[in-house]
Amino acid sequence: MLRIGMLTSGGDCQALNAAMRGVYKTITKNSKEPVEFYGFEDGYKGLIYGKFRILSDSDFSNILTIGGTMLGTSRCPFKTIREPDEKGLDKVEAMKQTYYKLQLNCLVMLGGNGSHKTANLLSEEGLNVVTLPKTIDNDLWGTDMTFGFQSAVDIATRAIDEIHTTAFSHGRVFIVEIMGHKVGWLPLNAGLAGGADIILLPEIPYDLKKIIDVIEKRDREGRRFTIIAVAEGAISKEDAKLSKKEYKKKLSKSKYPSVSYELADQIVKKTGREVRVTVPGHVQRGGAPVAYDRVFASRLGSEAGHLILKGEYGFMVGYKNREMVKVPLAEVAGKLKMVDPKARIIKEAKLMGVSFGD
Ligand code: F6P
């Protein structure tokens, strides 16, 4: 009997269900021995507290196109994973106990950055773990692409597209704040696809003066509006000089809900222009996966299933240079994949007149 546990961890995204379906179908259709699938509910919490259900064919039918995760998810921060819970329970020990009690052969974890640190820890503790790269942020080390990303790019792009008409009609400056946590893949791609005039990324600290210059130049050229795609993690050149602690303190005292509102205020003060902020927020993580993500997540799931059938554990399945690859969990855990400010895509955008505020 082959017993597989599966959980989804961290923020949800599109194509989680498609990826799980890929794992399930590959294993159940190709295993030489009977298979049992255990779905842990709400991420690592399900593994800690033994909350699971046995999954069968009907659970995986009709889910390819459905967003979110049928197992539920939660954030279970790695930095406190070694701390006992409120009742004094050792969480890592509890996860191992659940795994051994159910006599699992392997745990499949679909997650992003933080979740991979816990997956690596469990692997180091002796559990057989295989993971899949999930996140709209596309910031996971060891893979060129994560599933969820392309779907989120499409939604964020539509938000920018649809702002154009109002920006033009009213002759306003519009800021569209785009998710991505501490990295700029999502705002960069949505900003380019949506034809933003200025794109601000965490990796390229901005200079307010440069932003004002672009707005005023567009004014002089008779353009009625300016659209700025701002990463939720965008940072000014002055703030980038602060230590992590100083910057956190500044944010905690700020009257602005996010960087976009501070920037909007500064632009109003300097130019007297009408400025509006739009924050699509979690809409970017919602709804059905686009076709690319359905195919990509299914392929990743199938590759993970294949690894498990071969008894190869301790890997994340990723995608590098257009090839499916297996990356040791220790290599993935704790590293971020950032946008390189010197990358060709940035150069190309600049050649087309896009400003990055630097
Ligand atoms: O990691 C995905 C993500 O959507 C980030 O882009 C964003 O910063 C964060 O999650 C939001 O987290 P939450 O859903 O916990 O508010």
Side-chain angles (χ1 to χ4, degrees):
M1 170 75 79
L2 188 57
R3 292 190 181 86
I4 316 284
M6 193 147 64
L7 63 86
T8 53
S9 169
D12 75 336
C13 73
Q14 302 88 343
L16 276 161
N17 290 326
M20 289 193 276
R21 174 179 171 272
V23 177
Y24 180 85
K25 284 195 174 235
T26 301
I27 293 181
T28 51
K29 288 186 189 301
N30 296 284
S31 173
K32 294 201 169 58
E33 45 186 331
V35 185
E36 230 166 40
F37 262 84
Y38 295 78
F40 293 101
E41 292 166 4
D42 299 337
Y44 285 113
K45 277 188 188 159
L47 190 59
I48 296 171
Y49 300 108
K51 272 183 63 190
F52 63 86
R53 58 182 195 265
I54 293 184
L55 304 172
S56 59
D57 287 0
S58 61
D59 292 291
F60 293 91
S61 164
N62 238 337
I63 62 165
L64 175 64
T65 62
I66 315 264
T69 161
M70 63 148 166
L71 292 179
T73 188
S74 65
R75 294 197 185 274
C76 203
F78 177 74
K79 62 176 184 231
T80 56
I81 202 79
R82 285 288 189 190
E83 291 170 16
D85 77 355
E86 54 285 358
K87 288 190 176 145
L89 181 79
D90 180 331
K91 290 178 281 202
V92 176
E93 213 38 52
M95 288 194 272
K96 286 164 67 179
Q97 283 315 314
T98 307
Y99 180 98
Y100 290 125
K101 218 163 98 190
L102 295 174
Q103 296 181 295
L104 297 183
N105 296 86
C106 174
L107 176 71
V108 181
M109 194 287 297
L110 295 82
N113 248 295
S115 308
H116 270 83
K117 292 189 213 166
T118 303
N120 182 47
L121 171 71
L122 293 176
S123 170
E124 285 173 352
E125 290 281 325
L127 307 194
N128 295 329
V129 184
V130 169
T131 69
L132 291 174
K134 161 244 70 161
T135 167
I136 62 164
D137 302 337
N138 194 30
D139 60 351
L140 259 175
W141 185 265
T143 184
D144 293 340
M145 185 73 76
T146 57
F147 63 85
F149 175 66
Q150 293 293 346
S151 303
V153 168
D154 272 17
I155 296 172
T157 300
R158 277 207 301 281
I160 300 173
D161 284 353
E162 283 165 19
I163 280 301
H164 269 81
T165 48
T166 305
F168 175 82
S169 305
H170 288 260
R172 284 175 179 163
V173 174
F174 256 100
I175 292 177
V176 185
E177 183 176 291
I178 302 188
M179 275 188 170
H181 202 219
K182 293 178 182 161
V183 304
W185 296 106
L186 186 49
L188 171 61
N189 283 273
L192 286 178
D197 308 296
I198 303 172
I199 303 175
L200 304 181
L201 308 179
E203 294 88 343
I204 308 179
Y206 64 83
D207 180 346
L208 177 63
K209 200 175 156 317
K210 295 281 167 63
I211 295 170
I212 304 295
D213 287 349
V214 174
I215 296 171
E216 289 179 341
K217 183 164 178 277
R218 285 179 61 81
D219 268 355
R220 286 195 302 277
E221 290 169 354
R223 315 285 180 103
R224 286 177 56 78
F225 65 92
T226 297
I227 292 186
I228 315 180
V230 176
E232 61 178 347
I235 187 164
S236 68
K237 279 196 195 293
E238 298 83 68
D239 285 349
K241 285 185 197 137
L242 300 176
S243 68
K244 234 177 158 180
K245 205 171 153 193
E246 287 167 334
Y247 185 54
K248 262 193 165 172
K249 196 169 160 198
K250 182 197 154 176
L251 289 184
S252 69
K253 289 192 170 159
S254 172
K255 61 175 175 170
Y256 303 106
S258 71
V259 61
S260 300
Y261 291 90
E262 181 179 13
L263 183 63
D265 219 12
Q266 290 167 331
I267 297 173
V268 171
K269 283 186 185 129
K270 295 266 180 206
T271 65
R273 295 286 309 265
E274 241 192 313
V275 185
R276 292 288 188 275
V277 177
T278 290
V279 184
H282 289 78
V283 167
Q284 293 162 97
R285 269 182 12 206
V290 295
Y292 181 97
D293 270 336
R294 294 178 201 183
V295 175
F296 184 48
S298 300
R299 289 189 63 195
L300 289 168
S302 177
E303 293 285 341
H306 191 50
L307 277 189
I308 293 165
L309 288 172
K310 288 191 291 179
E312 290 190 41
Y313 306 116
F315 296 104
M316 175 187 84
V317 181
Y319 189 64
K320 272 261 166 211
N321 304 319
R322 301 191 186 175
E323 297 283 347
M324 289 292 180
V325 290
K326 52 178 195 189
V327 193
L329 286 176
E331 264 181 43
V332 180
K335 284 187 227 146
L336 270 186
K337 183 184 71 196
M338 316 276 294
V339 174
D340 176 1
K342 293 198 176 76
R344 287 191 84 100
I345 187 169
I346 303 283
K347 265 190 216 153
E348 292 150 2
K350 284 185 174 175
L351 285 171
M352 292 188 297
V354 176
S355 165
F356 288 85
D358 60 336

